[in-house]
Structure formats: structure tokens, C-alpha cells
Amino acid sequence: MFVSKKLLSRTAAGMAAAGVLALAAALSPASAQESVKIGLILPMTGGQASTGKQIDNAIKLYMQQHGDTVAGKKIEVILKDDAALPDNTKRLAQELIVNDKVNVIAGFGVTPAALAAAPLATQGKIPEVVMAAGTSIITERSPYIVRTSFTLAQSSTIIADWAVKNGIKKVATLTSDYAPGNDALNFFKEHFTAGGGEIVEEVKVPLANPDFAPFLQRMKDAKPDAMFVFVPAGQGGNFMKQYAERGLDKSGIKVIGPGDVTDDDLLNNMGDAVLGTVTAHIYSAAHPSAMNKEFVAAYKKAFGSRPGFMAVSGYDGINLIYEALKKTGGKTEGDALVEAMKGMKWESPRGPISIDPETRDIVQNVYIRKVEKADGELYNVEFQTFEAVKDSGKTKK
Ligand code: PHB
């Protein structure tokens, strides 16, 4: 086949030009792109997969409801599964920042994952929106971290004070043996013993695939008035099953704690042993606001299940990113976005919330709730509200 020299050189020039363009695009800063990229790192497999599923669902729902364009920019979510393993989180965050040039990293199903990404957020100067993890120290690890979930201190102090006021004198504790479990235990203990309560047994259970049975026997033998329990989202169903099998409900040892153990996502399948469980928490699917009723109905319709507190934390997290982008007029520079997020206030399905401008942590209502049956379904029914609770677990400076 005859190909003219002229055509050959034209093609070569075209290819070279295309190459230059591709290189320029690869090197151009994220802020010059027309889309805003969010690197969403969640546990979609493994023991914490229900957290990943809830957050991913809630973000999809939010984007269906609000569209995928903000301040003239298209929002692109890149989902990565870290299976809640911090080495994976770190590698994925690095790839998302360096290769995909994301403007925000978000998600983080467990504390070790949120902590593993913190130095990368600082180096990359990009916001890290924590949508699940709950250890107080997290927001202190990078000036680019903003949290829309909760802290264990927020709920554990409140349930401790409630226990003291309600005649609970002896408590046995069962907590998951990692950072948020230790926060839950320490903040509960501090408040409960200051109010005159006594801890009669203290057990810590492994985070991965815990078998609660041997620990539950120790709880039973200690004959407490109640047991204080923290297990992360996703483990409450298994815990309650073993609690009932060991007959702790029959021996009158009630469960109290932060509301992770009675997550609405799993509550309906926990059986009647869970009735009467009193927890302090940030969200109930039964929260009686118009906005929440709409949220629960839309989530159920889209995914066929009830949203829990992780879903709400994800829904609020993506809202925070959208609203910050509106405030910056679509500017994606990390410092500008974090600045825009500070002090933001809005109504969430959980109630009124805001971002503390000093700590970048969430300020929210904490509700005391009791598991009750309504229309054949189990719900965490709120009966007392503590308004605008800040995290009390920060390092004292
Ligand atoms: C956490 O790892 O920080 C964490 C995970 C799930 C929870 C609470 C805290 O339910």
C-alpha cells in the first residue's frame, strides 16, 4: 500500500500533539479539571461490609436526589474496597491521590483506616471526610480531616450518666478490643464511677470474628445490674443472638451502651431478647422528623432494607462535600474546601448537626432510646434528647 510521506508526517504530528495533550492532562492539577473526583474508601467485603454497603447506598441515594453536578462540576465517585484493613486503605488512598488525582478522600469504615489515610491527606492537602470511624483522636491527626459520623465519647458519657440516675449500680463491660472500644469503655467508666457506680467485670473481645459465648458466661457469673456493650456496626446481630442463647435476657441482665449494638440495619432480625435495651446514640430510623421519614422511605424503596447510623453518616458526608463546593463556587483546592466545611450547619435525618469550626468534628444531638416493638417491627424509640453534643474526648491542650 502506498502512503504518502506527507500523510505519514501529518499522522505523526497528530499523534505527537495527542501525546502532549494526554501528558498535559495527566500533569494538570486536579482543580483545573471539569469534574470533582471523590475517592471513596470503604469496607465492601469482610466483617465490616455492612458499614460499606450502608454508606455506599446512602451516597448513591443522595446523588439520585440531588443530581451529580455541583457548581458547574460533575461529581465522580471512585469506590475502593479496603476490607477495613489499614494497609489497604493507605495503598488505595495513595493511588487515588497520585494516579486518579481525586479532590477529596472519604469513607473510612473503621478507626485504623481513617488514621492510616491521615498523613496522606496532609501531604496531598486534600480533605479527608470521615463518614464512619468514631475514635475521638482521629480529627487531631490531620488539619484536613472533617468528620460526619460520631465519637464514642459523645454517647458513652451520656449513657453512663443515665445509668447512674436510673439505679444501675453494678455494671459488667464488654467492648471490642481496639481504639473505639477503648474510648467507649474509658468514657463510660469515668462517668459511671464518678457517679458512684461500680464495674464488676471487664472483658475485651477481638475485633475480627468475635465469639462472644465464653465472655458472656463471665458476664453472667458477675451478676451485674446491666452490661455495657460496644461492638462495631455489623456485629450487633451476632452478639444479641449469643446473648439470648446464653440466657442473659432471662437472668435480667439488660444491655446498655452506645447504639452501635442495636444498629437499625440489623435490629429487626435480633429477636425479642433485644426488647428493653437502652442505648445512647445519634440516629434512630424511628426519629420522628419529616425529613427522616422521607429518608427512611426512600432508602427502603431503593435498597430494600432499613438505613442505620452509618447510612446517615454517609448521607451527611456527601452533603457536606456538595455544600462546601457550592460555597467555594466549584473551587476544589483542599484548604478552601476544608475552610468552607468549618462551621457548616444543616438538618440531617438524625436531627440538626454542624461541624465544629475549631475541631472539624461533628456536633449533634444524642438521644436515649429503648428498643420497642411497633407494628410488628423492632425500633430504637427515642425518649430523651441531649442537644448539640460536642466530642468531649479530644486531647486537652
Ligand atoms: C470505628 O472503628 O471507629 C468504629 C466502627 C464502627 C462503629 C463505631 C466505631 O460502629
Side-chain angles (χ1 to χ4, degrees), residues 95-131:
E95 285 171 13
L96 285 163
I97 295 169
V98 175
N99 302 343
D100 297 298
K101 302 204 161 29
V102 296
N103 307 100
V104 176
I105 50 173
F108 311 102
V110 292
T111 292
L115 295 179
L120 299 169
T122 306
Q123 281 161 26
K125 296 185 186 300
I126 65 168
E128 172 178 338
V129 179
V130 174
M131 298 175 170

Side-chain angles (χ1 to χ4, degrees), residues 7-88:
L7 182 62
L8 253 184
S9 67
R10 243 197 255 155
T11 316
M15 279 167 66
V20 169
L21 278 179
L23 189 66
L27 294 177
S28 74
S31 57
Q33 294 166 354
E34 277 319 305
S35 68
V36 176
K37 291 186 184 175
I38 302 170
L40 183 61
I41 307 177
L42 290 170
M44 301 305 294
T45 53
Q48 305 313 119
S50 69
T51 295
K53 191 85 205 135
Q54 286 194 57
I55 294 176
D56 181 39
N57 283 347
I59 290 176
K60 287 198 172 104
L61 176 64
Y62 183 94
M63 292 180 69
Q64 271 167 26
Q65 294 171 332
H66 296 82
D68 63 357
T69 306
V70 185
K73 299 229 171 150
K74 196 165 164 64
I75 306 294
E76 191 187 329
V77 176
I78 306 173
L79 173 65
K80 299 281 179 187
D81 174 17
D82 69 353
L85 300 171
D87 284 348
N88 291 350

